[in-house]
Amino acid sequence: MAVKPILKMGDARLLQVAQPVQQFGTAQLFELLQDLRDTMAAASGAGLAAPQIGVSLQVVVFGSGQPNPRYPDAPPVPPTVLINPVLTRIGADEQLGWEGCLSVPGLRGLVPRWAELRYQGFDEHGTVIDRTVSGFHARVVQHECDHLWGQLYPMRMRDFTQFGFTDTLPQPQA
Ligand code: NI
């Protein structure tokens, strides 16, 4: 059990492209996942990517199966470990939604995302994951996987009038 410090926007490590995991089922990988889960839980995050704790590997965790206090109106997303992900857009629809990020504390922004996508990858044992999702689940996957390509949500925004401090923006932001 280890809660790790979360890197904040401005740290060059958040802009790196992460490396694929080569070996599954290792003690090192299980330890990384425990650190990610502990750190995500301590911060009430909807998800966390390994680069956010300074580990440049293609590993993300997201979901809890329960409503998230940071996104109280969003539907629950199943707890997921996703390694070496590939995302494929389905259809042309985009959705705008409010996002925050543990690496961009105190702020929220309105971010366009693919409305529906297929994501493929592996869990920590090397078991294949292949899901087609939409809505908030699709948004969370895109946000977390973006961390693996060195992208933070403000870099996806198009309208900076819809960006501000959570305690100052008009409510609600769901
Ligand atoms: Ni984030």
Side-chain angles (χ1 to χ4, degrees):
M1 173 111 189
V3 175
K4 299 289 188 181
I6 297 174
L7 306 186
K8 287 191 284 192
M9 186 167 65
D11 191 307
R13 289 172 287 179
L14 289 172
L15 304 177
Q16 290 177 352
V17 176
Q19 299 300 307
V21 169
Q22 307 282 3
Q23 268 197 301
F24 296 94
T26 64
Q28 198 178 19
L29 183 57
F30 294 150
E31 189 178 332
L32 169 61
L33 286 164
Q34 197 57 51
D35 290 348
L36 285 169
R37 289 193 191 98
D38 293 343
T39 305
M40 182 174 92
S44 297
L48 193 67
Q52 292 180 275
I53 59 169
V55 177
S56 190
L57 286 172
Q58 292 181 19
V59 178
V60 302
V61 297
F62 55 83
S64 64
Q66 295 174 359
N68 183 281
R70 284 165 54 85
Y71 300 90
D73 299 322
V77 175
T80 302
V81 171
L82 183 61
I83 298 173
N84 299 353
V86 175
L87 275 52
T88 308
R89 181 179 192 166
I90 295 178
D93 286 354
E94 278 187 355
Q95 275 179 352
L96 283 169
W98 288 94
E99 295 184 19
C101 179
L102 298 176
S103 293
V104 190
L107 291 157
R108 287 283 170 114
L110 197 60
V111 185
R113 297 287 186 186
W114 302 340
E116 187 174 9
L117 63 87
R118 177 184 185 185
Y119 67 92
Q120 296 161 284
F122 303 91
D123 73 5
E124 64 269 46
H125 306 289
T127 305
V128 170
I129 295 171
D130 188 343
R131 292 179 184 158
T132 297
V133 298
S134 59
F136 184 68
H137 190 158
R139 175 171 300 279
V140 169
V141 172
Q142 290 170 85
H143 178 115
E144 295 312 326
C145 291
D146 259 359
H147 281 293
L148 308 180
W149 332 128
Q151 298 282 315
L152 300 170
Y153 79 80
M155 298 155 76
R156 298 291 192 193
M157 290 183 61
R158 299 187 192 128
D159 180 359
F160 285 96
T161 70
Q162 304 297 307
F163 186 45
F165 291 94
T166 307
D167 61 5
T168 306
L169 284 161
Q171 304 290 329
Q173 299 152 40

